[in-house]
């Protein structure tokens, strides 16, 4: 028996599917043991089934995860590891809230919503740019920088939420609810809003077009495979890095606006505990898609369903907020192990006499 | 002399009763879309230098990678000392006494020479005291005649010295068989000769050397036996004594061998100056001046060939012209515009093609396919890529240059080294509507292909009134292709000759002066 490196890679769906199955099995064991036998594998399967089949309930999480997943994919394709989705998302939320509450555009729903999305796009882009500039021009690793920027974003949003923007009537740690005219319009029978759906489809198509037909898309791909070729082709490596992170942040920022308009309708303190951490969960979505744009919605659907399942288990009264993270963590870990193993194969050579 | 020839003849005419150190039986290896090796049978004997020759994509590299455990064969068996073995990885190979030295040294730049060697041994649970490593380095350095200080960091070493470190490591690992995969092909001539002496000595002491090369003279100079591979099959094995370059060429290339000639190609008819370099000063990687006040003129319709031993500033000069390296002093004028402050991008949009050294590192992206490797150059695509246009261009290049690939959508990493080079050369020749800048443009190509590429470059220069500035470490190439020969030594231009008046001895003298 010998272990050799594969010349021809496995079909790309094998690793994510295996990671899901094995990761869920591991989660079942963990939850069974940790709950002292209260949460049985049967309960988990049931809640997963419920999670997968409740399309209406799942829809908004799904759409947000697709947008964030695509945003991360744009930078991951260039081997630029944007771990700062959370920060870019919340800067988007904050600027969208400013438009809805204080800009004076709220008199017209259409203008206000457009402005919310535009400002969130700029905010997310700006936040990513702060990490992109040192990465491109000083070669400072983007992973710790984008990660730390998440916490800065959390604290800025928290600071303004319990300070300047705090609602005065009851004195809760939150902003007032955004005006009716700026709320996104819910589609009947689902939890998703029309604007969120349009945004998701538009971003999907634009990013698909970018990677298929534009030089920028190709440059981002070559940035990960051979930046030296970019240089000798006369293309600025710095600018390509900058664009990859900037676009990534812009897309994720827009998800922030959609979240405010469709889901939360206000910002409440502490922000980091009020969402499932789209910026982090999006990393899992992007990875499970194997950085294939077409597979992002599939990955987002699965992760969205597991998220609903996790909440169901919490509702059963056992486990805590961490149940969702057990799922996500087990799958991501299994994925990381499998992706390494998948580059090799085991060959059994039978000795002939 | 006569007796020597006779004794070797008698040796080969009667089949040896001695067990071969390596015996390959029916080795077959397939890659997606191609059969790299097709039922290879080969015997390698102790104390011999055995050369494997073949044109690009003949399967030489695949064969040694199988011997070194990097690939496992799809079929066939390997015997070492008559016993069947499985070689599942380089560790297995090393335990069997097989050590490979490749053309790109696998050593860690930040560590010293000694540290690198100790590291190599430690992985095998071997131990050698530093003192012994130093002795060995000194011993081999002396034989080869290239000095190395064992305590310097590797990044300070030249290519030749790095190759030597690899060989020393191999010897300390107890190599009985050295696999040299184009390991000395790219060394400067002088140093190459020194390595030959070492290889000879290693074989005389009972070691075995398998030398992979696409250069026939190299094999003739140092080997005892030559095995020629062609399209994944063994054409034949012949002793070096009693064969000729022509015979080997025929085995390698078949009918195509008649095309091989080193005659000077027809001269161009130079017209207006397109590139002018005035008192150029450029710094090298370590901050000292690599180009020291060079002056040069390239006219449309001519090839200017820069001859020189590697490391005399040609690389830096070429990179400065392509705006990939800053200019300290002086001017570069292209098409009547001072480009000293312009970018590579500007040149790309204004009719300049560029063939860099180390094609797989700087010229193509091997993870991407042929179409993408063409579309990435700004000459061929603006913001929106016209894939239809790129595709028809790709098909044209594949046809004209006989690039062996299943399709234009095949990732370049699945092509052989020579075919990768063809992708690069054909692309850049298309991009060069006014000027082609190149460094070793035919380095990885076999003779027949190299000569064809030179002919294509030259006919483009003559027929389309393009200029070419070509630096090459291969003097045959310079003499064959150039209209003007420029000799570079220690960062200075030490001689300029019209090709029809240049004398080889004189140029060689200036190169090493």
């Amino acid at each position: 028996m010998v272990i050799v490196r594969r010349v021809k890679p496995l079909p790309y769906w094998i690793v994510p599917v295996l990671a899901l199955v094995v990761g869920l099995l591991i989660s079942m064991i963990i939850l069974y043991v940790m709950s002292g036998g209260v949460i049985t594998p049967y309960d988990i399967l049931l809640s997963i089934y419920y999670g997968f089949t409740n399309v209406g309930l799942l829809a908004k999480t799904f759409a947000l995860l697709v947008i964030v997943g695509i945003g991360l994919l744009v930078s991951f394709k260039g081997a630029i590891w944007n771990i700062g989705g959370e920060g870019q998302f919340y800067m988007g939320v904050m600027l969208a809230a400013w438009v809805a509450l204080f800009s004076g555009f709220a008199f017209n729903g259409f203008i206000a919503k457009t402005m919310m999305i535009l400002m969130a796009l700029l905010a997310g882009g700006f936040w990513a740019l702060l990490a992109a500039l040192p990465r491109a021009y000083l070669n400072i690793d983007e992973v710790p920088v984008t990660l730390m920027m998440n916490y800065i974003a959390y604290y800025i949003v928290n600071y303004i939420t319990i300070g300047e923007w705090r609602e005065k009537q009851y004195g809760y740690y939150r902003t007032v609810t955004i005006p009716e005219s700026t709320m996104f319009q819910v589609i009947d029978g689902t939890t998703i809003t029309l604007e969120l759906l349009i945004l998701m489809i538009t971003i999907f198509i634009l990013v698909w077009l970018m990677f298929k037909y534009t030089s920028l898309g190709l440059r981002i791909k070559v940035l990960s495979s051979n930046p030296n070729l970019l240089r000798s082709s006369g293309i600025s490596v710095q600018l390509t890095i900058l664009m990859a992170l900037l676009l990534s942040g812009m897309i994720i920022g827009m998800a922030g606006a959609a979240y405010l308009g469709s889901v939360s309708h206000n910002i409440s303190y502490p922000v980091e505990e009020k969402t499932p951490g789209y910026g982090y969960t999006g990393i899992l979505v992007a990875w499970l898609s194997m950085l294939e744009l077409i597979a992002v919605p599939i990955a987002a659907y699965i992760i969205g369903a597991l998220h609903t399942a996790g909440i169901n288990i919490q509702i059963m009264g056992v486990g805590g907020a961490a149940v969702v993270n057990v799922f996500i963590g087990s799958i991501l870990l299994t994925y990381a192990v499998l992706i390494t193993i998948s580059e090799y194969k085991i060959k059994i050579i039978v000795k002939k006499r | 002399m006569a007796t020597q020839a006779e004794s070797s003849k008698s040796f080969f005419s009667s089949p040896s009763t001695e067990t071969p150190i390596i015996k390959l039986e029916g080795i077959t290896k397939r890659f997606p879309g191609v059969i790299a090796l097709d039922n290879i049978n080969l015997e390698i004997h102790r104390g011999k230098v055995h050369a494997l020759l073949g044109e690009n994509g003949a399967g030489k590299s695949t064969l040694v990678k199988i011997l070194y455990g990097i690939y496992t064969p799809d079929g066939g068996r390997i015997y070492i000392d008559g016993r069947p073995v499985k070689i599942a990885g380089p560790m297995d190979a090393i335990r069997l006494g097989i050590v490979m030295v490749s053309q790109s040294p696998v050593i860690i730049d930040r560590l010293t020479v000694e540290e690198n060697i100790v590291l190599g041994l430690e992985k095998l649970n071997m131990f050698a005291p530093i003192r012994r490593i130093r002795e060995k380095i000194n011993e081999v350095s002396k034989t080869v005649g290239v000095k190395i200080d064992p305590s310097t960091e590797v990044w300070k070493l030249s290519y030749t010295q790095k190759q030597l470190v690899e060989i020393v490591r191999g010897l300390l690992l107890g190599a009985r068989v050295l696999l040299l995969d184009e390991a000395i092909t790219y060394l400067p001539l002088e140093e190459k000769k020194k390595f030959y002496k070492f290889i000879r000595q290693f074989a005389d002491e009972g070691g075995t050397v398998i030398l992979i090369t696409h250069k026939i003279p190299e094999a003739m100079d140092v080997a005892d036996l030559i095995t020629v591979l062609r399209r994944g099959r063994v054409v034949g094995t012949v002793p070096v004594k009693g064969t000729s370059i022509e015979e080997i060429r025929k085995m390698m290339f078949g009918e195509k061998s008649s095309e091989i000639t080193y005659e000077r190609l027809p001269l161009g008819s130079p017209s207006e100056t397109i590139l002018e370099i005035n008192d150029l000063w450029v710094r090298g990687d370590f901050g000292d001046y690599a180009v020291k006040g060079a002056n040069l003129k390239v006219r449309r319709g001519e090839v200017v060939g820069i001859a020189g031993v590697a490391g005399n500033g040609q690389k830096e000069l070429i990179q400065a012209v392509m705006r990939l390296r800053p200019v300290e002093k002086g001017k570069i004028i292209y098409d009547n515009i001072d480009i000293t402050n312009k970018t590579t991008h500007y040149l790309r949009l204004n009719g300049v093609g560029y063939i860099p050294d180390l094609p797989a590192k700087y010229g193509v992206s091997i993870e991407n396919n042929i179409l993408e490797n063409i579309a990435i150059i700004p000459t061929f695509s603006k913001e929106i890529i016209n894939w239809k246009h790129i595709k028809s261009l790709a098909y044209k290049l594949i046809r004209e240059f006989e690039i062996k690939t299943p399709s234009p959508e095949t990732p370049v990493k699945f092509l052989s080294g020579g075919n990768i080079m063809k992708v690069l050369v054909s692309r850049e020749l298309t991009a060069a509507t006014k000027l082609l800048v190149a460094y070793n443009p035919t380095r990885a190509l076999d003779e027949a292909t190299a000569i064809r590429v030179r002919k294509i470059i030259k006919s483009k220069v003559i027929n389309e009134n393009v200029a070419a500035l070509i630096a090459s470490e291969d003097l045959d190439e310079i003499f064959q292709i150039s209209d003007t020969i420029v000799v570079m030594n220690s960062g200075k231009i030490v001689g300029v000759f019209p090709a029809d008046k240049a004398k080889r001895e004189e140029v060689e003298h200036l190169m090493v002066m």
Side-chain angles (χ1 to χ4, degrees), chain A residues 125-148:
Chain A
F126 171 73
W127 210 243
L129 199 63
L130 292 181
L133 286 169
R135 171 66 178 83
Y137 293 100
L138 302 171
N139 205 14
I140 293 171
D141 195 338
E142 74 281 6
V143 172
V145 179
T146 49
L147 180 65
M148 292 304 149

Side-chain angles (χ1 to χ4, degrees), chain A residues 1-4 7-8 212-215 218-219 221-222 225-226 228-235 347 349, chain B residues 31 72-73 88 324 344-345 348 360-365 368 372-373 375-378 382-385 387:
Chain A
M1 197 179 80
V2 290
I3 296 170
V4 293
V7 180
K8 208 176 166 183
K212 183 111 177 121
Y213 290 108
T214 71
S215 286
L218 180 59
R219 284 168 191 181
K221 281 193 265 180
V222 174
S225 49
N226 189 358
N228 288 322
L229 173 61
L230 287 186
R231 219 164 280 131
S232 56
S233 305
I235 295 156
K347 239 188 173 179
I349 298 171
Chain B
F31 290 118
T72 39
L324 292 164
T344 312
H345 193 248
R348 285 293 189 178
K361 195 167 176 196
Y362 298 104
V364 293
S365 170
N368 296 84
E372 289 171 326
N373 269 293
I376 192 71
I377 308 294
K382 301 211 159 51
E383 278 66 36
I384 307 293
I385 301 171
W387 286 113

Side-chain angles (χ1 to χ4, degrees), chain B residues 48-167:
Chain B
K48 297 280 176 252
V49 180
H50 199 130
L52 288 181
L53 271 168
E55 59 182 326
N56 298 130
K60 305 169 302 236
S61 292
T62 312
L63 191 62
V64 286
K65 280 179 183 155
I66 284 175
L67 275 178
Y68 200 51
I70 295 170
Y71 295 147
T72 39
D74 297 328
R77 259 171 285 179
I78 303 170
Y79 299 87
I80 306 279
D81 295 325
R83 279 196 312 271
V85 290
K86 279 178 298 186
I87 307 177
M91 291 297 152
D92 281 1
I94 291 167
R95 272 183 217 108
L96 291 165
I98 303 173
V99 177
M100 179 156 91
V101 181
S102 64
Q103 51 177 300
S104 34
V106 191
I107 41 183
I108 301 164
D109 278 344
R110 272 186 309 174
L111 301 183
T112 66
V113 174
E114 292 165 338
E115 285 165 344
N116 262 290
I117 290 173
V118 171
L119 209 64
L121 297 177
E122 221 164 50
K123 268 194 101 173
L124 285 155
N125 300 321
M126 285 185 183
F127 183 72
I130 292 280
R131 189 168 40 81
R132 202 171 119 56
I133 292 176
R134 284 193 187 154
E135 274 169 20
K136 196 79 197 172
I137 291 175
N138 286 334
E139 188 191 316
V140 180
S141 301
K142 218 181 249 169
T143 323
V144 179
V146 176
K147 269 180 242 129
I148 300 186
D149 174 3
S151 57
T152 40
E153 284 98 10
V154 165
W155 60 265
K156 292 180 185 158
L157 301 184
S158 72
Y159 179 69
T160 312
Q161 290 170 317
K162 284 185 191 170
Q163 291 300 68
L164 192 64
V165 172
E166 285 242 308
I167 288 176

